């Protein structure tokens, strides 16, 4: 075997390995790109869904306590003579790329929430904001239901040093969590200074 044929064989193997490594690198880059794209779509879904939830809430509290009949009612409230908007536009479902959303209906009629029609598995399964805590552990995007439930609205937690001009209910009148008891409030006299 001549030296030239050996060199040609090594060159051929080197090129073959280089092509294989480049292909592997491109496959990994494609996988990372797909994951990044899916995460971006999840962020868009959380944004759009929460916009719908807030708009349904504003619709509900701004007039007679009723839910919108259609999503278009959020663009112009049919109950009012002027133009009152709760959304600037109707959002596309970023997971399906379509304008169609799954609608959650109230028992008495009207829309109380929306959800994606995608059956794909979410990447994000934990670490949600408080409003979306129920999404933790969901196995598909259609389980992320952006609902406004007026009965489940949380009472704000009293803060230390309320803002000037605001009043808080006495502790004896503030709600407690179900199944817990509130500690008795002790009346104290004026504080005495220490030396």
């Amino acid at each position: 075997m001549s030296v030239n044929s050996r060199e040609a064989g090594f060159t051929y193997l080197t090129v073959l390995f280089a092509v294989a490594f480049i292909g592997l690198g491109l496959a990994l880059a494609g996988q990372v790109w797909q994951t990044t794209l899916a995460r971006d779509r999840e962020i868009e879904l959380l944004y759009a869904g929460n916009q719908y939830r807030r708009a349904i809430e504003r619709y509900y509290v701004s007039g007679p306590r009723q839910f919108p009949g259609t999503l278009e009612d959020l663009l112009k409230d049919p109950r009012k003579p002027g133009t009152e908007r709760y959304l600037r536009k109707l959002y596309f479902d970023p997971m399906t790329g379509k304008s169609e959303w799954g609608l959650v209906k109230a028992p008495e009629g009207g829309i109380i929430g929306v959800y994606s029609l995608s059956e794909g598995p979410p990447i994000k399964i934990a670490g949600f904001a408080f409003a979306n805590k129920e999404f933790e552990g969901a196995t598909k995007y259609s389980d992320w239901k952006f609902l406004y439930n007026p009965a489940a609205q949380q009472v704000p937690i009293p803060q230390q040093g309320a803002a000037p001009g605001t009043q808080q209910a006495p502790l004896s009148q503030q709600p407690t969590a179900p199944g817990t008891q509130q500690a008795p409030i002790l009346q104290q006299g004026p504080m005495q200074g220490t030396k």
Side-chain angles (χ1 to χ4, degrees):
M1 203 178 235
S2 72
V3 175
N4 284 341
S5 63
R6 280 189 191 166
E7 287 178 6
F10 285 126
T11 304
Y12 177 73
L13 284 176
T14 303
V15 169
L16 198 59
F17 281 123
V19 169
F21 282 125
I22 289 171
L24 183 62
L26 288 174
L28 290 175
Q31 215 172 18
V32 168
W33 181 78
Q34 288 289 342
T35 302
T36 302
L37 186 62
R39 286 187 193 279
D40 288 345
R41 286 183 181 156
E42 282 184 353
I43 291 169
E44 290 175 26
L45 175 60
L46 289 167
Y47 176 79
N50 284 315
Q51 290 298 311
Y52 277 116
R53 177 189 286 145
R54 287 187 201 106
I56 291 167
E57 176 183 7
R58 288 194 300 269
Y59 184 96
Y60 184 85
V61 300
S62 73
R65 301 291 192 232
Q66 59 184 200
F67 293 104
T70 66
L71 293 179
E72 287 76 15
D73 291 349
L74 300 173
L75 296 176
K76 183 182 181 311
D77 191 342
R79 306 171 298 174
K80 301 189 177 181
T83 301
E84 186 158 349
R85 296 180 184 274
Y86 308 103
L87 275 181
R88 289 181 290 162
K89 64 175 185 172
L90 294 179
Y91 293 95
F92 281 85
D93 176 351
M95 305 318 287
T96 63
K98 299 178 182 175
S99 60
E100 186 180 0
W101 289 84
L103 303 177
V104 181
K105 301 282 189 160
E108 64 275 3
I111 299 169
I112 63 170
V114 299
Y115 60 93
S116 173
L117 295 176
S118 171
E119 296 295 313
I123 294 172
K124 184 176 180 79
I125 56 171
F128 289 94
F130 180 77
N132 302 321
K133 276 291 187 200
E134 67 273 6
F135 299 167
E136 292 197 4
T139 58
K140 52 190 175 181
Y141 290 114
S142 59
D143 291 338
W144 291 11
K145 294 191 174 21
F146 299 90
L147 305 175
Y148 170 65
N149 183 357
Q153 291 305 301
Q154 300 292 323
V155 176
I157 298 169
Q159 298 179 3
Q160 300 281 8
T166 61
Q167 292 182 336
Q168 293 181 355
L171 285 175
S172 60
Q173 295 176 4
Q174 291 180 1
T176 59
T180 61
Q181 291 183 333
Q182 190 168 15
I185 298 173
L186 301 174
Q187 296 294 332
Q188 296 179 343
M191 293 190 61
Q192 297 179 357
T194 59
K195 293 186 182 180

